[in-house]
Amino acid sequence: SQRGMTLVEVLIVLAIIGILANVAYPQLDSALWKSRAAVVIADYRLFEGAVVDYMSVHGVYPPNASVANPDGEFAAYMPPGFRWIKPRPWVYAYVWENWENKGHGRRLNIGYGFSLKQPDEKLVWAIEQLYDGRFEPTVYQKYTFVMQDHPNPQ
């Protein structure tokens, strides 16, 4: 009556665990990126509500806003606890852009949008899988949720 496992049995168990890990990893990675994309889309929806509230009071879209320029009248409409920069491990930033007076806004047919600065390619892929509106590459390594087309496109 032997106790324990032979070396062959241990190697077989390790091989089975390795195969299962190889099968499960792509699914887990995809789920991770889709969860991050869901957070970005949820932030956009909150931000979109703040823009609508601002417009209902002022009759115009808010001015540009970002982590570099978070204050002003528009800050009062922002969701409580909204962060322009997401902390590690994600590290990306949001920017509200009024493209109406920018040449590239006219060229891209974007009037107003909520941009994501320097997103990871996998995050962009996941957002494109989950979001059914306009989410497009723009300028300076940004992708933008387009809220309204440019009033005078080229």
Side-chain angles (χ1 to χ4, degrees), residues 67-89:
V67 69
N69 181 27
D71 299 322
E73 291 180 2
F74 187 49
Y77 297 89
M78 296 299 294
F82 182 82
R83 297 179 80 175
W84 289 98
I85 296 180
K86 290 296 179 186
R88 291 185 188 275

Side-chain angles (χ1 to χ4, degrees), residues 3 10 13 17 43 68 81 84 86 97 105-106 111 115 123-124 152:
R3 292 193 160 183
V10 169
V13 168
I17 290 171
D43 284 347
W84 289 98
K86 290 296 179 186
E97 297 185 279
R106 181 172 292 147
S115 296
L123 180 60
V124 170
N152 303 308

Side-chain angles (χ1 to χ4, degrees), residues 30-124:
S30 175
L32 172 69
W33 285 104
K34 284 185 177 181
S35 70
R36 290 178 178 177
V39 169
V40 171
I41 293 168
D43 284 347
Y44 166 64
R45 295 288 183 210
L46 287 171
F47 195 87
E48 186 178 38
V51 169
V52 169
D53 290 346
Y54 182 93
M55 285 184 62
S56 69
V57 172
H58 299 279
V60 295
Y61 279 96
N64 291 340
S66 68
V67 69
N69 181 27
D71 299 322
E73 291 180 2
F74 187 49
Y77 297 89
M78 296 299 294
F82 182 82
R83 297 179 80 175
W84 289 98
I85 296 180
K86 290 296 179 186
R88 291 185 188 275
W90 301 7
V91 191
Y92 51 81
Y94 298 130
V95 180
W96 164 252
E97 297 185 279
N98 180 333
W99 297 63
E100 192 170 350
N101 296 320
K102 297 179 182 177
H104 50 267
R106 181 172 292 147
R107 182 173 35 83
L108 297 168
N109 190 25
I110 299 173
Y112 304 93
F114 181 69
S115 296
L116 185 60
K117 282 180 77 173
Q118 300 177 330
D120 187 283
E121 289 177 14
K122 288 184 179 180
L123 180 60
V124 170

Side-chain angles (χ1 to χ4, degrees), residues 23 64 79 96 131 138 149:
V23 169
N64 291 340
W96 164 252
Y131 183 68
T138 51
D149 291 343

